[in-house]
Amino acid sequence: MLRLYNNGARKFALNGIGALGCTPFAINSLAKKTGSRNGCTCAEKVNEAVQFFNHELILLVEHFNIHYPKAKFIYLNYFGIGSSDPVLKERKVINKSCCPLNGLGLCNTAASPCPDRKTYLFWDSFHLTEAASVLIVKRYYNSQLQSDSYPIDIKRLAELKL
């Protein structure tokens, strides 16, 4: 960050981490560990760790905004948006990947993905589909809730004259 700042960068958006405990990988790992068959329960201990990290990232944004007054830093609340957006929750398939997986939980490139990608939340065991990502990015740019970004959203960051 300091190198970017020293080379003239003045606007920074720091992206928080999403609900890693609710990825298909985490859900399936938890189901194997507990013997659960419902396949929809998030690994809450993982999400607690993510929320701790995100809280510390907000404190870092505040620190940077105090110590670099000629720049502006914002926090993007991936966890909050992904957990609260009703459009994301409307996805029909939230605990399985759209594509057949290889042994690492990534897409098997030799297999065909699901026919309707807009009904899936996750592309593979870790990554959101493009449709889900677009919804999150729109809220990053123009926050619908005050908690979507802190202290301002990307649209207002872009409008700042620094």
Side-chain angles (χ1 to χ4, degrees):
M1 188 284 306
L2 192 54
R3 182 182 288 173
L4 292 170
Y5 181 83
N6 288 337
N7 283 302
R10 294 295 180 262
K11 298 176 184 180
F12 298 86
L14 304 178
N15 198 40
I17 299 174
L20 295 178
C22 297
T23 62
F25 177 82
I27 291 170
N28 293 329
S29 296
L30 181 64
K32 286 177 188 173
K33 189 175 184 180
T34 63
S36 170
R37 296 184 188 267
N38 71 3
C40 289
T41 304
C42 295
E44 291 307 326
K45 291 217 180 274
V46 173
N47 285 341
E48 288 171 14
V50 166
Q51 287 178 312
F52 175 78
F53 175 88
N54 287 341
H55 174 73
E56 294 297 311
L57 189 57
I58 291 168
L59 296 177
L60 187 62
V61 164
E62 291 174 347
H63 172 82
F64 284 158
N65 281 327
I66 290 168
H67 290 88
Y68 296 94
K70 293 181 180 177
K72 186 66 172 181
F73 296 81
I74 65 171
Y75 166 76
L76 303 172
N77 189 1
Y78 185 20
F79 190 100
I81 294 171
S83 301
S84 68
D85 194 309
V87 177
L88 287 173
K89 289 183 176 182
E90 289 174 7
R91 298 284 179 246
K92 293 181 177 100
V93 185
I94 61 171
N95 62 337
K96 295 180 183 170
S97 63
C98 175
C99 64
L101 304 173
N102 64 21
L104 300 174
L106 302 173
C107 289
N108 178 349
T109 57
S112 296
C114 59
D116 186 5
R117 297 170 192 165
K118 291 185 179 185
T119 62
Y120 282 74
L121 184 59
F122 287 93
W123 178 248
D124 59 19
S125 288
F126 309 99
H127 303 98
L128 295 176
T129 58
E130 179 182 0
S133 295
V134 166
L135 293 171
I136 289 172
V137 169
K138 284 182 179 179
R139 285 191 49 187
Y140 281 170
Y141 182 73
N142 194 2
S143 296
Q144 293 176 5
L145 301 174
Q146 190 173 6
S147 62
D148 288 351
S149 59
Y150 173 79
I152 58 177
D153 58 23
I154 292 176
K155 180 180 179 185
R156 281 148 196 84
L157 179 67
E159 293 169 346
L160 287 178
K161 305 287 186 230
L162 297 174

